[in-house]
Amino acid sequence: MEDLTPPKDSLDPIEIASRDEIAALQLERLKWSLAHAYQNVPHYKASFDAAGVHPDDLRSLDDLAKFPFTVKTDLRDNYPFGMFAVPRDQVARVHASSGTTGQPTVVGYTARDLDVWATVVARCLRASGLKPGDILHNAYGYGLFTGGLGIHLGADKLGLTTVPISGGMTNRQVRLIEDFGATGITVTPSYALSIIDEYAAQGRDPRLSPLKVGIFGAEPWTNAMRQEIEEAFDMHAVDIYGLSEVMGPGVANECVETKDGLHIWEDHFYPEVIDPETGRVLPDGELGELVFTSLTKEAFPVIRYRTRDLTRLMPGTARSMRRMEKVTGRSDDMMILRGVNVFPTQIEEQLMLVPALAPHFQVELNRVEHRDEMRVKVETLPDTVEQGEAAARDLAARIKASVGVTVKVDVAAPGGVARSQGKAVRIVDNRPKA
Ligand code: DLL
């Protein structure tokens, strides 16, 4: 694979500034952000007052721990525009995520927020190894989802040639990657697998594609999956993270030269990791729930927003900004089977070790005679259909040995597992609701 390391002088100076410089900027911006939220969003005034804190109480970055958390239901309770901190006519854009409970979460951006968003996404694309003039095949969904339009903003800022293909019509995806000579692709890792399948269906070899790098996010994926995708396309695969409440894609990104976790753009998003049970701030290096405070957002400031994503913070490497480890999963996606916690990423890791099985999977939870049962649905490759049963036994044994739970593995023929065109649905919960 080609060395795509961006030249140092192409980076934003703050990416490689000293920790002292970064901390000083964070403190100044954090003071502004707390005051801005308190003065302009009734929810924050009420929650700070209830907790007995005032923006003036923040004298050091550590003082942030005194401020109350914000959770998803706070945003829902203020649907649609109640969390906006600027008059509605200064909101240049809204996005929304549908969530699982029906009521969408709405977020907003001023023109300046959109410019900051473009800046951080451009940083991500550059850290991934793209440079002005590259052709980007952007297969994240366009629309209310932040993926498509968020990446698009950053691609414009970096000076790429963007192909705004969005998700779906997989045969056309392959055709346009090839015909237009795309050098980069932005897409969910699960949809990338569908694109790989489509290459095979068209009798084309993805290793011969013009792609040099894929930038994958919007859902958890493992290093084992990275290897699978890198080998299939003979290209780099890097991780991009973000969430609509904090901005969208572009909160953090891996560097192509190190691939050792995602650098958080800490000059705009202040991270903390907390113990999800007690809310206590954990020292860097410990695994817990990621919490973000926006430092510069005008339309939709978030103060100590609980992401539900589990990770740990680590010191900077290729950039001075701290890294977060690849997200293990969301606390919402954690399945508890007879007392053992299981994440879909743990299943994915084991699946990748069984060569006769395709990388697609779905987990089904059922209640059988008052006991919870987990079935893992997988499929064989076109040339391994005969080995299916043995491969299923192998996978069940690996899951038992590494995760500690007994699962049933159902093997389907190639194409038998539902394909994703965006975020994969990993868990189908058929258990009766309590
Ligand atoms: O998924 C934004 C995005 C778009 C990120 C494109 C990256 C690329 P939401 O729809 O609000 O926003 O979903 C956010 O997706 O809290 C995580 O649970 C999950 N997620 C996003 N990126 C990653 C990642 C977009 N790289 C939620 N690894 C987040 C693991 C991720 N999970």
Side-chain angles (χ1 to χ4, degrees):
M1 284 183 282
E2 200 175 311
D3 179 5
L4 299 178
T5 313
K8 274 251 151 38
D9 63 5
S10 69
L11 307 181
D12 293 343
I14 193 74
E15 293 180 60
I16 44 173
S18 72
R19 284 304 309 177
D20 285 351
E21 250 175 287
I22 293 170
L25 183 66
Q26 285 175 326
L27 183 59
E28 178 196 319
R29 288 181 168 178
L30 188 52
K31 286 180 177 168
W32 173 82
S33 190
L34 289 173
H36 175 60
Y38 186 77
Q39 285 158 13
N40 297 299
V41 183
H43 167 82
Y44 287 116
K45 172 148 196 339
S47 73
F48 288 14
D49 287 351
V53 283
H54 186 272
D56 292 344
D57 297 334
L58 184 109
R59 294 197 185 84
S60 72
L61 290 170
D62 291 340
D63 288 337
L64 184 59
K66 298 178 186 156
F67 288 78
F69 293 117
T70 308
V71 293
K72 187 117 181 163
T73 46
D74 294 327
L75 310 187
R76 295 230 173 92
D77 292 347
N78 289 285
Y79 174 85
F81 298 158
M83 298 293 275
F84 288 4
V86 297
R88 212 270 315 132
D89 64 359
Q90 289 177 34
V91 175
R93 173 90 67 80
V94 294
H95 280 280
S97 62
S98 54
T100 42
T101 53
Q103 171 97 301
T105 309
V106 183
V107 299
Y109 308 78
T110 62
R112 232 191 96 209
D113 293 335
L114 291 176
D115 191 50
V116 169
W117 195 9
T119 301
V120 290
V121 172
R123 264 188 216 170
C124 295
L125 299 172
R126 188 172 52 223
S128 305
L130 292 174
K131 52 182 189 321
D134 269 314
I135 299 180
L136 180 67
H137 185 93
N138 184 17
Y140 286 119
Y142 278 67
L144 285 174
F145 175 53
T146 51
L149 284 158
I151 295 290
H152 194 112
L153 276 174
D156 281 352
K157 184 104 179 175
L158 186 59
L160 307 183
T161 304
T162 309
V163 183
I165 184 140
S166 195
M169 299 216 265
T170 315
N171 56 355
R172 197 180 59 170
Q173 302 270 351
V174 172
R175 173 133 192 232
L176 297 197
I177 291 170
E178 294 292 324
D179 291 355
F180 296 175
T183 44
I185 181 168
T186 38
V187 63
T188 59
S190 58
Y191 190 44
L193 296 177
S194 308
I195 294 178
I196 293 171
D197 283 355
E198 181 61 27
Y199 265 87
Q202 294 187 19
R204 296 189 199 238
D205 181 357
R207 293 182 64 84
L208 302 178
S209 84
L211 291 170
K212 294 180 184 168
V213 62
I215 304 160
F216 303 103
E219 61 187 10
W221 57 300
T222 58
N223 281 315
M225 177 74 85
R226 184 206 305 275
Q227 212 180 337
E228 174 94 19
I229 295 175
E230 287 194 332
E231 276 167 20
F233 274 111
D234 187 26
M235 69 172 182
H236 294 280
V238 299
D239 197 352
I240 183 168
Y241 170 87
L243 63 165
S244 31
E245 296 87 336
V246 174
M247 190 63 117
V251 174
N253 205 93
E254 274 183 324
C255 291
V256 68
E257 64 270 41
T258 41
K259 297 180 192 157
D260 58 354
L262 303 91
H263 289 272
I264 298 168
W265 307 129
E266 283 189 82
D267 52 335
H268 295 287
F269 315 107
Y270 187 79
E272 297 170 283
V273 166
I274 62 162
D275 177 331
E277 302 294 325
T278 64
R280 191 173 63 88
V281 178
L282 298 175
D284 285 6
E286 283 188 34
L287 182 67
E289 180 181 340
L290 186 60
V291 170
F292 275 110
T293 299
S294 63
L295 298 179
T296 53
K297 280 209 310 176
E298 295 178 334
F300 192 83
V302 282
I303 308 300
R304 305 197 83 203
Y305 183 71
R306 292 185 60 157
T307 64
R308 300 187 135 336
D309 293 325
L310 301 174
T311 185
R312 62 182 99 234
L313 293 173
M314 306 178 293
T317 50
R319 304 288 186 279
S320 327
M321 307 217 179
R322 275 178 292 175
R323 290 165 300 150
M324 55 187 265
E325 191 175 66
K326 254 176 144 357
V327 173
T328 323
R330 295 175 64 74
S331 47
D332 316 14
D333 283 348
M334 188 177 82
M335 303 168 281
I336 304 178
L337 203 67
R338 291 189 268 293
V340 182
N341 299 346
V342 187
F343 286 99
T345 47
Q346 293 173 290
I347 307 288
E348 180 178 297
E349 257 169 10
Q350 298 310 311
L351 172 62
M352 296 298 155
L353 297 171
V354 184
L357 296 177
H360 313 281
F361 74 101
Q362 203 164 48
V363 178
E364 209 179 84
L365 295 171
N366 299 308
R367 176 89 29 94
V368 183
E369 289 167 3
H370 308 293
R371 278 166 71 98
D372 285 346
E373 173 201 81
M374 189 185 290
R375 303 188 87 92
V376 180
K377 190 156 188 190
V378 293
E379 61 181 58
T380 55
L381 300 164
D383 55 355
T384 59
V385 177
E386 272 92 80
Q387 301 163 43
E389 287 311 315
R393 283 194 299 276
D394 184 11
L395 179 59
R398 285 176 188 276
I399 292 172
K400 177 80 189 164
S402 66
V403 188
V405 292
T406 304
V407 302
K408 299 216 158 55
V409 176
D410 296 331
V411 201
V417 176
R419 293 293 191 269
S420 112
Q421 300 203 335
K423 293 185 194 243
V425 178
R426 291 300 189 202
I427 303 172
V428 179
D429 193 346
N430 298 321
R431 294 172 301 180
K433 298 278 169 289

